[in-house]
Amino acid sequence: MSDNALTRRSFLKRSAAGAAVVAGSGFVGFSAWEQGQQARAAGTKKAVHSLCNSCSSKCGFTAYVGEDGRFTEMVGDKDHPYCDGTLCARGYGYASIAWSEDRLTDPLKKNDAGEFEAISWDQAYAEIAEKVQSIISSDGPQALAMIQDPRPSGSYYTARFMNALGSANVYTHGVACNMSKNSGMTQAIGAADFTADVANAKMVMFLGRSYADGIRPSSLHALQEGHAKGARFVMVDPRYNNSMHFCDEWVPIRPGTDLALILGMAHVLVTQGTYDTAYVEQYTVGFEDWAARLAEYTPEWAAEKTGIPAETIERLANEMWEAAPQSCIEQGWRAAYGCAHQNSGETARALCLFNTLLGCWGLEGGAYMPASASAGKLSDPKFAAPAKPADKILGQAEYPLSSGGMGVSTYALSQVPEGTVKGVFFYQSNCVAGYSNPAQLTEFLASAELSVAIDVQLTETCQACQYVLPDTCYLERLEVPEFVGGKVPVVSLRDRVIEKVHPNTKPVDEIFAELAEACGVGEYFQFTVDELADAQLQTVGLSLDALREEGTHVFEDKALKYALKTSWGTADKKVHFTSEACEKAGFPASPGWLEPKVTPGEGEFRLIGGKQAIHTHTQTANIPALMEITKKYGLERIWMNADVAEQMGIADGDEVELSSETHTGRTRVKVTQRIEPTSIYLPSHYGCSVPEQKTAYQVGLRQMDFVPFHIEPGYGGTMSQETIVTVKKVGA
Ligand SMILES: Nc1nc2c(c(=O)[nH]1)N[C@H]1C(S)=C(S)[C@@H](COP(=O)(O)OP(=O)(O)OC[C@H]3O[C@@H](n4cnc5c(=O)[nH]c(N)nc54)[C@H](O)[C@@H]3O)O[C@H]1N2
Ligand SMILES: Nc1nc2c(c(=O)[nH]1)N[C@H]1C(S)=C(S)[C@@H](COP(=O)(O)OP(=O)(O)OC[C@H]3O[C@@H](n4cnc5c(=O)[nH]c(N)nc54)[C@H](O)[C@@H]3O)O[C@H]1N2
Ligand code: SF4
Ligand SMILES: [Mo]
């Protein structure tokens, strides 16, 4: 196997490299770790429970802290549904952010020369509040928008702050992650997601979802378990990704054509009559419409679109049916149809309908809805929520199928030059580098009356804002409890593991409570985060002290029970082969083929992205221990198909120029048979343009620079892979 595959040995080596930085002030070797272990055994170390913040999985862990306030060990919680006892390399490596020399330490304000100057918190609050109030009085609260990455306290405090001001415009990073997928699924099954029971399945097909690259430890464990039990795993991906270690067949596909594959496979099952007719009759509506539409989507037709041979499409459909109901197409997350193409929402809708043909819903080895738990209503009036804003989130009318819970943040930003939006806040979000074309987003923001970024390091988003406020890092603060669904739901806690490293940073709860006070809505924040966490936990029979001891609390009584799922979240509780909302938004009643927005011609490629196991989005590239791994293995290189490279006279390691309609950049190329010929893969964690991030600055290229600003019609996704690139050898 090839050069860059993560073998088990190399992965463990990498994890260890990450783990070593946790000690804080630099690198500690094995002996320090061993001393730490001894101290833990002797009971002189305090166990503090917390949650990782290196990606949205927020895995639970216990840190063992010595009397000097430092810690050398983090152990993943066995009971946490995402972590399953193991943190990934990023989880260890990212802990060093606390001591990063590039941390933000003071509030900053951009001066007339465009440079940041440190100011006091009082000045920052006063000036921001004055602008907030002036925007509200001239244009109303809907002229304010908040973009945040959903983490426990972040979600709570940002939404409460905006609602207190009267604005409904609270956005997540959804447009650049799973907006289209969640929205498409909602149209079919009335739920934004489901979980393939990978550990118990007979067969699972993955459409561009790699558990060994886009890591959530428990998913990777399920893949290993299913593989060991003899399940058949099929990986449909333009790339031979690292999950192939546990998969049986690689089916290379032209990116953006997964919808054609699903339609072709559905055609096979429906024309043969090999599908769960009883389930379809009893628990669905609109099947006849889809069956009629499928007639034209023969395997031969799908082969033309996808590049997958017709016999393979037919065989895969039949294998899925033979394994049913212990089979399904896995739910995916981002790459293929989370937000990538013009047909992403429709792909997600069709995927749910294909699984419906298999009759796998709710069954062991099929596809289930995770069990969940949540905090109850708080009785103490000091926690009473502000009134619900009168308006809907901006962008919902324009993108009617988009999930309102995520919101089309890029549309909101496009409304800044229009004057509809005048003030924008970012909390824990590097929107400018990652949600759409960075140059365009920067230009939108330039005309804002107010722009504020709250982060731990100076980012592209901070650079585009007038004010930057320094948050504490995750190891330095308590947050509201995090309820997590799974086969057994839990509640878990992010607690303070270490003292603040920089005294003038403030935790998110304090920042928003104080900002609210300055803006005249302080009455909604008359409690501490400790009080709030305790009150929420009391509603489920726990307390803050008890959860501090326990770390992750398991709700055994709420555990998932496998049973055929017969009632859905749609208005009539049925699976919908047809959707009125989709029809109203200009799509066919049941999903049919929809071309991607662009298709590469001769000498052109589609630029695809994808995660690497050791980095998260844009936030870990500045972690020295993780970037060291990138450099050692040349992980920032773009991938190009070996046959195509040979024809073009490009050799492995050559420097090339990559160009799209929006951007040109230079990087090195990895020539490999692990990618199909119409794609160029650009790993998505690089190309930082902020000199203050000394480790990350200018390493590799940034995917979103090559993507024009556009939004998926109806669904609101950012269409992160709707771009054509060309490649030229430098000097040729
Ligand atoms: N290491 C790491 N793990 C992470 C994250 C991270 O940043 N780093 N982030 C977390 C988050 S927020 C997310 S959303 C998930 C993302 O998890 P995934 O969605 O699995 O992430 P990707 O690596 O973007 O994509 C997976 C594969 O899809 C392939 N692909 C690209 N385009 C297409 C296509 O059109 N069709 C098909 N069939 N395949 C395609 C890519 O080649 C890639 O191998 O990962 C989570 N875990
Ligand atoms: N270029 C590129 N774009 C992407 C992706 C990618 O891999 N590459 N991935 C896509 C996906 S799947 C997703 S989910 C989104 C993710 O988009 P985001 O959620 O915006 O994720 P990041 O780009 O990692 O940016 C997170 C920001 O939070 C900051 N941060 C970290 N810890 C804290 C903290 O404790 N407090 C505060 N206030 N800030 C903190 C980091 O410094 C960073 O600036 O991006 C999407 N867009
Ligand atoms: S998957 Fe890794 S980075 Fe993400 S929360 Fe878990 S340990 Fe942290
Ligand atoms: Mo994501």
Side-chain angles (χ1 to χ4, degrees):
M1 257 251 333
S2 84
D3 24 43
N4 251 340
L6 279 182
T7 61
R8 192 176 143 71
R9 249 182 90 225
S10 69
F11 184 75
L12 288 176
K13 234 162 68 189
R14 291 168 193 201
S15 296
V21 299
V22 167
S25 46
F27 193 84
V28 284
F30 183 72
S31 60
W33 178 79
E34 204 175 25
Q35 280 164 21
Q37 289 286 79
Q38 284 161 1
R40 179 182 160 198
T44 54
K45 286 212 154 192
K46 192 172 66 159
V48 185
H49 183 80
S50 196
L51 300 180
C52 180
N53 200 39
S54 184
C55 87
S56 29
S57 290
K58 293 159 275 179
C59 294
F61 67 86
T62 305
Y64 292 90
V65 184
E67 277 156 11
D68 57 0
R70 294 170 28 151
F71 68 102
T72 48
E73 195 185 5
M74 301 163 86
V75 179
D77 283 357
K78 286 210 170 53
D79 291 335
H80 195 281
Y82 294 162
C83 153
D84 197 20
T86 325
L87 303 180
C88 78
R90 297 169 294 151
Y92 295 116
Y94 192 64
S96 68
I97 187 72
W99 302 274
S100 161
E101 57 178 46
D102 299 334
R103 276 281 298 274
L104 290 168
T105 55
D106 297 280
L108 304 174
K109 180 187 179 182
K110 211 180 258 169
N111 64 22
D112 293 341
E115 289 155 357
F116 282 115
E117 282 172 3
I119 56 171
S120 70
W121 281 98
D122 284 346
Q123 184 186 344
Y125 288 145
E127 292 184 11
I128 293 168
E130 197 190 319
K131 290 195 183 185
V132 163
Q133 279 158 343
S134 125
I135 291 169
I136 292 177
S137 60
S138 61
D139 295 84
Q142 284 290 97
L144 297 169
M146 167 76 69
I147 299 177
Q148 54 97 29
D149 169 5
R151 310 283 157 130
S153 276
S155 304
Y156 180 92
Y157 282 91
T158 55
R160 195 173 176 91
F161 172 67
M162 293 301 282
N163 292 349
L165 295 173
S167 173
N169 298 333
V170 184
Y171 302 86
T172 70
H173 58 215
V175 291
C177 179
N178 52 356
M179 167 71 100
S180 312
K181 170 183 104 95
N182 289 22
S183 305
M185 288 187 177
T186 302
Q187 288 305 318
I189 59 174
D193 209 355
F194 65 86
T195 307
D197 195 3
V198 170
N200 300 308
K202 285 189 187 152
M203 178 167 175
V204 177
M205 179 182 282
F206 295 85
L207 296 186
R209 168 79 183 100
S210 175
Y211 289 1
D213 296 286
I215 292 183
R216 173 172 282 174
S218 56
S219 303
L220 192 46
H221 296 164
L223 190 73
Q224 288 172 290
E225 189 182 334
H227 178 66
K229 285 181 181 169
R232 178 160 165 63
F233 293 142
V234 175
M235 181 59 69
V236 180
D237 193 315
R239 292 192 309 137
Y240 184 104
N241 65 43
N242 287 310
S243 298
M244 283 306 299
H245 288 295
F246 307 106
C247 293
D248 303 273
E249 182 176 356
W250 175 37
V251 181
I253 187 171
R254 288 185 198 126
T257 67
D258 296 80
L259 178 58
L261 171 64
I262 298 170
L263 294 172
M265 290 197 304
H267 170 100
V268 172
L269 296 192
V270 170
T271 49
Q272 290 175 174
T274 47
Y275 62 94
D276 192 334
T277 45
Y279 193 92
V280 167
E281 257 164 46
Q282 272 180 280
Y283 306 115
T284 74
V285 293
F287 175 71
E288 295 71 25
D289 187 272
W290 204 43
R293 200 177 307 280
L294 288 174
E296 65 179 289
Y297 303 127
T298 61
E300 291 71 26
W301 169 88
E304 284 285 311
K305 297 287 175 198
T306 58
I308 304 169
E311 330 50 280
T312 307
I313 296 173
E314 198 169 338
R315 172 175 56 79
L316 290 171
N318 283 322
E319 285 174 354
M320 290 287 270
W321 173 244
E322 277 154 31
Q326 274 76 48
S327 64
C328 70
I329 305 182
E330 196 264 2
Q331 67 274 9
W333 197 340
R334 179 191 195 226
Y337 45 89
C339 62
H341 307 110
Q342 181 162 262
N343 57 20
S344 283
E346 290 292 274
T347 304
R349 189 154 74 111
L351 186 159
C352 289
L353 302 181
F354 182 84
N355 282 349
T356 303
L357 299 179
L358 301 175
C360 63
W361 295 120
L363 300 179
E364 184 166 15
Y368 65 88
M369 297 291 153
S372 64
S374 55
K377 216 171 161 346
L378 304 185
S379 51
D380 189 329
K382 75 179 170 195
F383 299 119
K388 215 169 152 249
D391 296 298
K392 280 201 172 143
I393 187 167
L394 185 68
Q396 188 69 60
E398 293 75 10
Y399 298 91
L401 303 173
S402 66
S403 158
M406 297 179 175
V408 188
S409 57
T410 44
Y411 176 76
L413 291 175
S414 76
Q415 293 306 293
V416 173
E418 309 296 321
T420 317
V421 171
K422 293 199 162 162
V424 189
F425 290 86
F426 299 91
Y427 176 75
Q428 193 158 168
S429 157
N430 195 4
C431 171
V432 167
Y435 298 7
S436 190
N437 183 273
Q440 182 63 74
L441 296 179
T442 304
E443 197 184 312
F444 287 152
L445 275 168
S447 51
E449 275 177 31
L450 171 67
S451 49
V452 182
I454 304 166
D455 209 294
V456 293
Q457 60 185 1
L458 202 78
T459 64
E460 289 84 347
T461 304
C462 296
Q463 274 184 326
C465 286
Q466 297 152 346
Y467 294 90
V468 176
L469 305 179
D471 198 357
T472 53
C473 86
Y474 72 110
L475 294 165
E476 301 165 315
R477 63 178 183 254
L478 170 74
E479 295 201 25
V480 296
E482 165 92 341
F483 288 81
V484 188
K487 281 190 176 160
V488 190
V490 305
V491 61
S492 204
L493 193 68
R494 171 171 293 151
D495 204 353
R496 301 174 192 101
V497 177
I498 55 168
E499 293 298 315
K500 267 194 216 179
V501 175
H502 300 287
N504 206 24
T505 56
K506 285 178 190 264
V508 45
D509 47 289
E510 273 177 40
I511 294 176
F512 282 103
E514 291 170 2
L515 205 48
E517 187 69 42
C519 292
V521 291
E523 74 262 33
Y524 295 105
F525 294 86
Q526 297 303 314
F527 50 83
T528 63
V529 67
D530 299 57
E531 288 165 346
L532 173 62
D534 190 56
Q536 289 191 343
L537 290 167
Q538 297 285 348
T539 67
V540 292
L542 296 168
S543 68
L544 180 54
D545 286 343
L547 195 59
R548 277 191 154 133
E549 279 290 307
E550 199 182 354
T552 293
H553 177 83
V554 175
F555 297 102
E556 285 292 357
D557 55 324
K558 294 193 158 63
L560 172 82
K561 291 183 188 69
Y562 290 115
L564 186 69
K565 185 164 174 64
T566 56
S567 176
W568 293 90
T570 49
D572 57 6
K573 308 215 178 321
K574 301 212 167 183
V575 172
H576 276 242
F577 283 95
T578 49
S579 149
E580 274 176 36
C582 289
E583 256 190 304
K584 258 200 212 151
F587 297 96
S590 59
W593 174 241
L594 179 61
E595 288 285 344
K597 189 174 180 197
V598 294
T599 300
E602 193 60 32
E604 296 177 336
F605 306 89
R606 183 185 297 278
L607 187 66
I608 65 171
K611 309 296 184 203
Q612 290 181 332
I614 53 147
H615 282 297
T616 297
H617 318 308
T618 72
Q619 81 166 28
T620 57
N622 202 44
I623 299 289
L626 297 176
M627 193 50 120
E628 208 177 292
I629 302 168
T630 295
K631 295 210 167 144
K632 181 162 179 190
Y633 294 94
L635 294 180
E636 79 289 0
R637 288 173 296 165
I638 60 169
W639 289 24
M640 182 177 214
N641 175 272
D643 298 334
V644 176
E646 197 184 324
Q647 279 163 24
M648 294 176 69
I650 294 174
D652 191 52
D654 276 355
E655 196 180 12
V656 292
E657 199 171 81
L658 184 72
S659 301
S660 76
E661 68 172 272
T662 55
H663 194 70
T664 293
R666 284 182 180 189
T667 187
R668 284 186 308 142
V669 66
K670 170 184 156 103
V671 169
T672 171
Q673 290 292 0
R674 286 177 59 177
I675 187 163
E676 66 83 42
T678 71
S679 304
I680 294 289
Y681 162 69
L682 174 60
S684 52
H685 310 295
Y686 305 107
C688 171
S689 58
V690 183
E692 285 79 359
Q693 290 192 32
K694 294 189 258 320
T695 301
Y697 184 52
Q698 285 186 338
V699 177
L701 299 175
R702 182 165 56 204
Q703 184 189 356
M704 296 314 289
D705 284 334
F706 293 88
V707 183
F709 179 85
H710 49 206
I711 301 177
E712 181 183 341
Y715 287 100
T718 198
M719 302 202 287
S720 58
Q721 296 190 162
E722 291 287 18
T723 188
I724 300 289
V725 291
T726 54
V727 179
K728 209 172 77 189
K729 185 170 163 173
V730 171

